[in-house]
Every structure is written in C-alpha cells, then in structure tokens.
C-alpha cells in the first residue's frame, strides 16, 4: 500500500485516493467533516494546502509517513520527499518514542483519540509541543486499515 509516494499537485489532482482515505476515515470515525469542502474534486487540494498540520503513516512494522501536507512539511522543516521516506517514530525524540507507540496502540484499538499532546522534533532538532491533536485510524471503504493519521493546528516551541 502507498507505493506511490508522489507529492500532491495539480498534475495528479492532489492525490484524491489519499485525500479520500484521510478525510473519509475522519468522517466515518469521528462523525464530522475535516474540511468545509463543497466540491469533492477540491478535497485533495484543500487538504494539502490546509492551514493546519495533517500527517499519515502506513501499516509497516516500522510505519513510514506517506502523507504530509505543506503545513506539516514547514513545521518539520522537511520537503515532501524527505517526509514520505521517514519512519514516523523519528518525528518524536528517541526518549519519547515508547510513549508515542503506546499512544498509537490505543488509537489502533479505539479508532481515534482527540486532544492528544506531545513533543515532536523537526529536522534541525527544533522541539515543539503539539496540542489538541486528533489521531485516527485510516480505514478504507472496504474496512481495511491502511495506517493512521494526525491533524492539529496548535503547537508551541519548547
């Protein structure tokens, strides 16, 4: 799954299969729309250019990001290509990775958790505290889990 790691852009219609997985799973699990998007053809563009962070990782034994919108790239100080090749565990400091994994295991069992907070680290080593994040399982239309996603719009320097 997610072997195509191409960056969302106008030429690929902002990867509608990925935006549907992310926003559709959010809608089905949480019961509300992630975006105010009157036209489904605009979902991918709106998600990629959203004024909040959206990240998603796959179901590998050591999950790797397969989606990071522009706000996520800016916050983590990485390009698209750098983000979608990085194991998601590396977004947390090594000493915090065990706590992060316990949290993700809870999400896997419960479907989603909102109001998550935690410390993350950018490529340059800049630490920041994310607040009020929602993390949810990415369940496709066939009921298959394809990973987990996170969205948040509140963070501060540590």
């Amino acid at each position: 799954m997610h072997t195509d790691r191409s960056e969302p852009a106008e030429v690929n219609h902002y990867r509608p299969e990925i935006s549907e997985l992310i926003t559709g799973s959010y809608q089905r699990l949480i019961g509300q729309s992630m975006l105010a998007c009157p036209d489904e053809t605009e979902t991918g563009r709106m998600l990629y250019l959203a004024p909040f962070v959206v990240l998603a990782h796959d179901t590998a034994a050591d999950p790797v990001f397969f989606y990071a919108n522009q706000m996520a790239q800016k916050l983590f100080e990485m390009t698209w290509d750098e983000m979608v090749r990085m194991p998601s565990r590396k977004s947390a400091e090594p000493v915090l990775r065990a706590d992060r994994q316990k949290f993700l295991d809870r999400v896997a069992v419960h479907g989603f958790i909102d109001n998550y907070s935690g410390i993350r680290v950018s490529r340059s080593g800049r630490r920041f505290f994310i607040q009020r994040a929602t993390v949810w399982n990415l369940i496709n239309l066939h009921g298959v889990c394809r990973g987990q996603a996170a969205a948040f719009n509140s963070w501060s320097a540590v």
Side-chain angles (χ1 to χ4, degrees):
M1 176 65 187
H2 308 300
T3 55
D4 177 2
R5 303 268 172 160
S6 60
E7 184 171 6
E10 194 170 324
V11 69
N12 60 22
H13 308 287
Y14 292 92
R15 307 283 314 277
E17 73 285 3
I18 299 298
S19 60
E20 158 40 44
L21 178 63
I22 292 171
T23 62
S25 293
Y26 186 93
Q27 171 76 39
R28 290 185 291 277
L29 285 168
I30 298 168
Q32 59 188 22
S33 293
M34 184 176 199
L35 299 166
C37 196
D39 182 353
E40 284 185 20
T41 64
E42 289 292 304
T43 302
R45 185 181 66 76
M46 289 182 70
L47 188 66
Y48 191 62
L49 304 175
F52 52 88
V53 171
V54 180
L55 297 158
H57 68 213
D58 60 23
T59 58
D62 188 8
V64 174
F65 288 120
F66 66 86
Y67 187 87
N69 72 353
Q70 286 188 342
M71 187 63 75
Q73 293 171 50
K74 182 177 177 181
L75 182 62
F76 283 91
E77 301 175 310
M78 293 185 197
T79 66
W80 170 269
D81 288 334
E82 291 168 328
M83 289 293 299
V84 299
R85 286 171 175 72
M86 181 176 81
S88 61
R89 67 180 159 76
K90 290 189 174 184
S91 66
E93 292 180 308
V95 296
L96 300 174
R97 289 179 187 164
D99 289 340
R100 177 187 167 276
Q101 187 57 52
K102 286 178 191 173
F103 167 74
L104 293 175
D105 292 343
R106 283 197 328 265
V107 172
V109 170
H110 299 289
F112 77 95
I113 294 178
D114 56 7
N115 207 22
Y116 171 74
S117 298
I119 295 176
R120 294 294 176 265
V121 62
S122 73
R123 182 174 71 172
S124 70
R126 182 179 50 83
R127 298 168 70 230
F128 53 94
F129 184 68
I130 63 172
Q131 302 155 6
R132 296 184 301 280
T134 300
V135 182
W136 67 100
N137 291 331
L138 295 171
I139 309 296
N140 71 13
L141 294 172
H142 304 289
V144 177
C145 184
R146 296 297 186 185
Q148 294 176 322
F152 57 92
N153 65 5
S154 181
W155 62 88
S156 55
V158 175

